[in-house]
Amino acid sequence: MIQVKNLTKKYGNHLAVDDISFQVKKGHIYGLLGPNGAGKSTTMNIITGYIAPTSGSVTIDGHIMGQDTLEAKKCIGYLSEIPPLYPDMFVKEYLDFVAKLKKTAKEGRVKEIEDVMERTGLTDVANRLIKNLSKGYKQRVGIAQALLGNPQIIILDEPTVGLDPEQIIEIRTLIKSLKKDHTIILSSHILSEISAVCDDVLMIAKGKVVAMDTTENILKMNKSGQNLAITVKGNASKASEVLKNLKCIESYELVSEKDGQASFNIIAKDSEEDIREEISFALSDARILIIEMNASKASLEDVYLDILQDCREEEEAEAEAVEADNDDKADDAEEMDSIVWSESEDDDVEEGGEE
Ligand code: ADP
Ligand code: MG
């Protein structure tokens, strides 16, 4: 349905989008996840034909953006980061205005607007001024205008930003309900948003793709695998002896030992395998009673933080390499500067912070 190939966008010297490629299948909800400044809005503005890429191509249902632009744009309904709402218009009046702009068929227009208002839960506020609506309702109006003309693809840039928790759930439910008739791309810097709504995730940072897979697979990517917290009766060393010899365990650590109980955190070797059975049998063979056992899967958040951390480390390594290079070339005056710097940094060093 959507093909994005080697998309690159430079603003002056700044590379905002760096060689991004992906495909979106019909009927899927595709999530663009990344921190602020990652290049999500830029990517969406290119896909929707609002701005041109520096290089690369976007094909929408066979129409090449930039060549077959009108046809390509007709396939897309877009809710941009700042929705183009007119506060002094009534909801219905505004939607009628947008329908005319989109040149939707004149006959059936009234019915279409009514349908769209019904789907987005706006019927009751049809005759209210947009400026008097809550943020959640304003966002519904934004989504409603994207739906006009019944485009196959809906693109939503951070659709729940600034909403309260209840409104977020309402908008998410609305987005999910659109899936049956539309292909959707959604951006967010919030992980739970993506994992709750999207089938596929494209994670970007600093304009680059850092991960791309189904939401399900991304969740499996966690390096630390499946975690298990157990508490057993008795002293730690006896249980430790058992855990040490189990092949399904990657590593384990003693968390606490008190009141005749010992608690361990266990990491499985294979994140897919359920190791609870093996552990409980082994412990009961050794006549050790398990008091508590909790399995926890990695959340998308862990994975996201892992990936961002990796990016940051890479960046720091690069920066250090550049710095080392510059240091070689530095003259005496600059060296003096850096000495002053490192002295002032010393003030921040905490000494004897560890017990
Ligand atoms: P996101 O939506 O993920 O927060 P954006 O696509 O808005 O990220 O921005 C990506 C990068 O490009 C940022 O560093 C931003 O400052 C820069 N940028 C965005 N728009 C422009 C512009 N019109 N001119 C110059 N730089 C821009
Ligand atoms: Mg943005």
Side-chain angles (χ1 to χ4, degrees):
M1 178 60 50
I2 304 170
Q3 274 198 322
V4 173
K5 268 198 201 142
N6 308 106
L7 214 59
T8 297
K9 178 72 185 178
K10 273 187 180 170
Y11 292 113
N13 277 334
H14 179 66
L15 200 52
V17 173
D18 187 1
D19 197 25
I20 288 184
S21 301
F22 62 95
Q23 286 186 28
V24 184
K25 288 193 207 107
K26 197 174 174 155
H28 274 228
I29 304 188
Y30 205 89
L32 270 186
L33 174 66
N36 286 325
K40 303 180 295 294
S41 298
T42 303
T43 305
M44 291 183 142
N45 280 330
I46 296 172
I47 295 173
T48 50
Y50 271 70
I51 59 174
T54 306
S55 61
S57 68
V58 175
T59 312
I60 308 286
D61 198 20
H63 307 291
I64 300 170
M65 195 61 84
Q67 287 179 22
D68 208 357
T69 308
L70 227 56
E71 284 304 310
K73 276 190 169 181
K74 251 191 214 161
C75 302
I76 301 175
Y78 185 28
L79 174 64
S80 55
E81 200 160 28
I82 300 152
L85 301 178
Y86 290 96
D88 287 318
M89 279 189 172
F90 298 100
V91 171
K92 201 169 163 181
E93 179 193 18
Y94 168 72
L95 293 176
D96 184 58
F97 168 73
V98 175
K100 281 175 186 154
L101 277 185
K102 287 193 178 183
K103 299 196 173 82
T104 64
K106 209 168 176 183
E107 68 274 17
R109 188 175 286 161
V110 174
K111 168 101 174 45
E112 188 191 0
I113 292 171
E114 273 169 9
D115 282 351
V116 164
M117 287 196 301
E118 185 70 43
R119 289 173 72 190
T120 49
L122 288 170
T123 310
D124 291 344
V125 298
N127 296 313
R128 294 259 296 271
L129 280 174
I130 290 174
K131 68 177 171 196
N132 294 337
L133 297 177
S134 69
K135 247 194 134 183
Y137 270 85
K138 282 190 185 123
Q139 203 63 339
R140 285 167 191 254
V141 178
I143 295 175
Q145 64 80 29
L147 288 172
L148 287 170
N150 198 26
Q152 302 174 58
I153 298 162
I154 302 289
I155 298 188
L156 308 167
D157 195 354
E158 306 247 9
T160 60
V161 125
L163 303 184
D164 65 34
E166 204 177 331
Q167 294 167 334
I168 288 177
I169 291 171
E170 284 169 15
I171 295 292
R172 272 186 198 163
T173 311
L174 171 59
I175 293 169
K176 281 193 215 163
S177 76
L178 300 177
K179 181 180 159 165
K180 81 177 159 0
D181 303 309
H182 305 271
T183 302
I184 299 166
I185 302 183
L186 171 109
S187 77
S188 181
H189 64 283
I190 302 161
L191 308 143
S192 50
E193 182 92 345
I194 299 286
S195 60
V197 178
C198 301
D199 304 303
D200 304 274
V201 186
L202 178 75
M203 235 187 251
I204 57 176
K206 301 225 175 304
K208 281 198 180 72
V209 175
V210 287
M212 172 164 51
D213 214 324
T214 58
T215 310
E216 203 183 337
N217 282 343
I218 291 248
L219 287 172
K220 287 182 198 162
M221 266 173 41
N222 185 27
K223 290 180 205 146
S224 52
Q226 189 197 46
N227 296 324
L228 205 64
I230 64 165
T231 301
V232 297
K233 196 173 166 189
N235 65 22
S237 59
K238 204 172 152 201
S240 218
E241 208 53 43
V242 175
L243 297 176
K244 202 167 68 186
N245 292 320
L246 285 176
K247 292 209 167 56
C248 62
I249 292 177
E250 173 73 34
S251 64
Y252 69 92
E253 60 171 354
L254 179 66
V255 182
S256 71
E257 188 176 18
K258 58 168 191 244
D259 307 330
Q261 297 184 1
S263 299
F264 295 88
N265 265 343
I266 298 170
I267 294 170
K269 208 163 253 166
D270 176 357
S271 63
E272 279 311 280
E273 192 192 351
D274 190 350
I275 59 170
R276 284 174 296 186
E277 197 170 289
E278 199 170 338
I279 289 176
S280 64
F281 283 153
L283 287 169
S284 73
D285 281 350
R287 300 202 57 78
I288 296 170
L289 178 70
I290 298 173
I291 295 169
E292 209 177 315
M293 185 184 264
N294 286 309
S296 64
K297 272 227 143 176
S299 67
L300 189 54
E301 184 150 14
D302 299 330
V303 180
Y304 187 49
L305 293 177
D306 262 4
I307 287 172
L308 292 186
Q309 181 65 29
D310 285 352
C311 288
R312 209 163 295 136
E313 278 166 11
E314 257 171 44
E315 215 169 78
E316 276 166 14
E318 266 171 39
E320 267 169 29
V322 171
E323 211 169 281
D325 199 32
N326 287 344
D327 276 357
D328 289 345
K329 295 173 195 149
D331 59 24
D332 291 349
E334 276 171 332
E335 273 179 42
M336 279 304 291
D337 264 346
S338 64
I339 290 166
V340 174
W341 265 108
S342 51
E343 271 173 4
S344 63
E345 270 172 10
D346 277 348
D347 293 342
D348 292 328
V349 174
E350 280 183 28
E351 289 194 18
E354 304 205 357
E355 335 170 307

